[in-house]
Amino acid sequence: MDMQEKIIKDEILEKMSLENAFKILNDNLFPMLNDEEQGFCKELQEFCLELHPKIDKSKDVYVLFPELGKAGYMQRINKWRDFTPYGMKKEILMALHLSILDPQLELARLASGILCGNPTFHYYHHGGESDEIYKVQDGLLSGQKIGCIGITEPERGSDAVNMLMKCTKTDDGVIYNGEKVFTTNGPKSDYVCTYGVYDEEHPRQTMIQSMISRDFGYETRRLKINSVPRVHIAHTIMNNVKVPKDYILADDGAGYTRLFEGLVPERLGIMGSGVGICWGGLIYGIIYANLRKQFGQQIIKYQGVGFTLADLLSQATAATALALNVATIYDDKVLFAERRSPAAEKWCASVSSQGKYILSKLTNTVCYEVQQACGGITVTDNTPIDEFMDTSKIEEVIGGARNIQLFIIQNLLRRYGRDL
Ligand SMILES: Cc1cc2nc3c(=O)[nH]c(=O)nc-3n(C[C@H](O)[C@H](O)[C@H](O)COP(=O)(O)OP(=O)(O)OC[C@H]3O[C@@H](n4cnc5c(N)ncnc54)[C@H](O)[C@@H]3O)c2cc1C
């Protein structure tokens, strides 16, 4: 690991290896997994251990995308090429490992592979016929191209449905005019999957979703976001951007259904990244607290430290069990089901918000508490903990801020005032 100035003792640093982190993870995770899932985790761990020494933290994360693409790790929800196994549970396990490896890489990977990549699968699932989208999909999932999603606008954040991005039909496509913000990967992107409306008074009935190529002429300006310096996040401007028909993924209101179809797997995926940040922060804290001595004793022996770690471990285990369980139900009853269960779909939509709410908040609590429990070294670059801490801040706002998850959950609860 590159450090500006090393103050951590060699004996401790040696033990804070990724290999040891995976040992502790496996003790806590493997009993929850079957043989196939454990095998997939071992593959992921081999991959991470090989990539880890090649990561240069002074460079943007994007140089690593082709490495992920070669292993089929840009996403694992859907079948792409011959990469197996796949499904939501595998996606969660992959996100978990990639977060421990490099939380900023995981953030950008999720935006390209899932937020931009998943709509290409939904397009064909719903009968789309343009071959152009296969090319886009291949570029994104091989890690050769970079994708992003444009939902949020300067004046429409949580109120995303009432968007202002104006679309106008032409004979051979559609013209986009408007702005998006917080477009993760935007400044580096080759494609932005962008939502707009024909009539802002009727967004649900007129929403459209298109895959917009950089060649069509959108502009991106980088926002300065200190906590994730290796990820580029944009203010995206569409000034008369003409999109050919072959790149329209969902038209005339179908964009609205697709928006929500995308948000559920997105939030479940974010749970996976969150699980990884929790374990990453916690495991390195556990190793450090076992080795660091003050007043002649390892600091883990002091209740203020040891009990804090015990409390965090209990919460991390509960959150992990939740994420894995929801992913299993999503795989069995929605993604791979011969006949999708509407009740399960509804439940997964609600639980994706509940889980995203619980987990993204927990990432922050774990990292903050570990830093307070372990002391000064954890706010320097001598341990990976501060990078987990910084990324955790983003986890809670990306994919919808805390209150919007609660808003969705309580909306579902309010039906009991009508339906009973
Ligand atoms: C680093 C980063 C990356 C992101 N990446 C992407 C991306 O790739 N693509 C994309 O489209 N978007 C992205 N987002 C946008 C993200 O989804 C939004 O920030 C989020 O939806 C909230 O919108 P807002 O920030 O405009 O906050 P606002 O909607 O302005 O909300 C401000 C505050 O008010 C609260 N609030 C709003 N409405 C209600 C209500 N009805 N009830 C109670 N409280 C409410 C919110 O919870 C929040 O606390 C990203 C954001 C960040 C910070």
Side-chain angles (χ1 to χ4, degrees):
M1 201 167 111
D2 299 323
M3 287 170 204
Q4 189 167 309
E5 178 63 19
K6 187 177 98 53
I7 52 172
I8 191 167
K9 272 172 80 175
D10 285 333
E11 301 89 276
I12 299 185
L13 188 60
E14 224 164 72
K15 299 281 184 197
M16 290 185 75
S17 63
L18 187 61
E19 210 165 4
N20 282 341
F22 286 147
K23 271 188 200 149
I24 297 177
L25 177 74
N26 294 351
D27 287 345
N28 289 280
L29 180 69
F30 275 21
M32 290 191 248
L33 304 177
N34 65 28
D35 289 348
E36 188 214 34
E37 291 154 0
Q38 290 184 20
F40 182 54
C41 289
K42 283 184 191 147
E43 251 176 53
L44 280 160
Q45 293 176 9
E46 266 174 43
F47 170 84
C48 292
L49 289 167
E50 205 168 296
L51 188 60
H52 192 234
K54 296 183 203 156
I55 298 178
D56 178 349
K57 292 282 170 93
S58 68
K59 289 200 175 129
D60 295 337
V61 296
Y62 303 100
V63 292
L64 301 165
F65 271 25
E67 298 290 333
L68 296 182
K70 268 189 254 163
Y73 291 153
M74 282 304 291
Q75 65 88 43
R76 269 303 167 102
I77 298 180
N78 308 284
K79 182 161 182 358
W80 176 70
R81 293 191 181 162
D82 291 330
F83 291 108
T84 54
Y86 60 94
M88 184 52 78
K89 199 167 188 184
K90 306 303 179 311
E91 171 70 25
I92 295 243
L93 291 171
M94 188 183 80
L96 189 169
H97 283 86
L98 295 180
S99 262
I100 295 178
L101 171 71
D102 182 342
Q104 292 189 62
L105 171 64
E106 166 54 16
L107 176 70
R109 187 286 303 173
L110 181 118
S112 193
I114 299 294
L115 308 191
C116 190
N118 225 10
T120 66
F121 289 97
H122 289 164
Y123 172 74
Y124 290 115
H125 179 76
H126 288 282
E129 287 176 348
S130 159
D131 285 342
E132 296 303 314
I133 303 304
Y134 276 125
K135 285 187 211 152
V136 175
Q137 186 177 88
D138 241 44
L140 292 172
L141 301 197
S142 61
Q144 297 298 326
K145 301 282 181 192
I146 299 169
C148 54
I149 194 141
I151 301 172
T152 309
E153 300 180 355
E155 295 305 320
R156 294 292 186 276
S158 304
D159 188 12
V161 169
N162 288 303
M163 58 184 63
L164 303 174
M165 175 68 77
K166 175 81 180 148
C167 291
T168 318
K169 285 193 192 214
T170 64
D171 289 346
D172 51 359
V174 61
I175 294 176
Y176 273 71
N177 273 296
E179 293 173 38
K180 298 287 177 185
V181 279
F182 299 121
T183 324
T184 303
N185 300 341
K188 292 277 179 180
S189 66
D190 300 289
Y191 302 105
V192 51
C193 176
T194 313
Y195 293 86
V197 290
Y198 292 119
D199 176 1
E200 66 184 60
E201 299 291 318
H202 300 100
R204 288 170 179 77
Q205 295 78 13
T206 68
M207 196 175 289
I208 158 171
Q209 180 203 38
S210 307
M211 189 60 75
I212 306 187
S213 168
R214 177 68 79 172
D215 304 337
F216 305 159
Y218 64 86
E219 188 196 336
T220 50
R221 299 178 194 156
R222 188 176 183 186
L223 300 169
K224 182 158 174 65
I225 299 186
N226 286 325
S227 47
V228 284
R230 293 161 60 231
V231 179
H232 291 227
I233 298 166
H235 178 191
T236 304
I237 292 136
M238 302 274 168
N239 190 4
N240 279 323
V241 173
K242 201 170 165 212
V243 181
K245 264 204 180 96
D246 278 354
Y247 287 78
I248 297 176
L249 300 175
D251 207 355
D252 296 321
Y256 174 71
T257 328
R258 232 44 93 72
L259 177 70
F260 283 91
E261 193 177 350
L263 281 171
V264 173
E266 170 187 340
R267 288 179 181 145
L268 294 175
I270 294 174
M271 280 170 78
S273 315
V275 172
I277 294 185
C278 287
W279 285 109
L282 185 54
I283 287 170
Y284 287 115
I286 292 170
I287 298 174
Y288 184 78
N290 269 291
L291 301 173
R292 170 77 170 170
K293 285 188 178 158
Q294 285 298 288
F295 302 96
Q297 292 227 60
Q298 293 131 291
I299 58 171
I300 200 165
K301 291 194 177 152
Y302 300 114
Q303 278 194 10
V305 178
F307 283 21
T308 297
L309 295 175
D311 173 58
L312 297 175
L313 178 70
S314 313
Q315 295 189 57
T317 301
T320 307
L322 172 70
L324 294 175
N325 203 11
V326 182
T328 307
I329 291 163
Y330 185 81
D331 282 342
D332 292 349
K333 297 192 177 177
V334 181
L335 194 62
F336 299 137
E338 263 178 43
R339 236 187 266 150
R340 287 183 168 205
S341 150
E345 265 184 284
K346 205 183 230 176
W347 182 84
C348 285
S350 170
V351 178
S352 72
S353 284
Q354 293 174 36
K356 200 255 156 188
Y357 166 71
I358 297 254
L359 250 152
S360 57
K361 199 154 180 257
L362 186 60
T363 57
N364 196 272
T365 307
V366 166
C367 295
Y368 176 80
E369 293 297 334
V370 165
Q371 287 190 319
Q372 298 314 310
C374 291
I377 201 87
T378 62
V379 302
T380 73
D381 64 355
N382 285 203
T383 82
I385 296 167
D386 203 46
E387 195 178 346
F388 290 120
M389 178 73 219
D390 277 344
T391 317
S392 78
K393 193 161 62 176
I394 304 300
E395 292 284 314
E396 205 168 352
V397 65
I398 193 173
R402 178 197 301 181
N403 278 350
I404 284 317
Q405 309 309 331
L406 294 173
F407 181 75
I408 293 167
I409 301 161
Q410 64 96 40
N411 261 348
L412 290 164
L413 291 181
R414 283 165 57 181
R415 72 182 186 277
Y416 296 119
R418 297 185 304 268
D419 295 355
L420 290 181

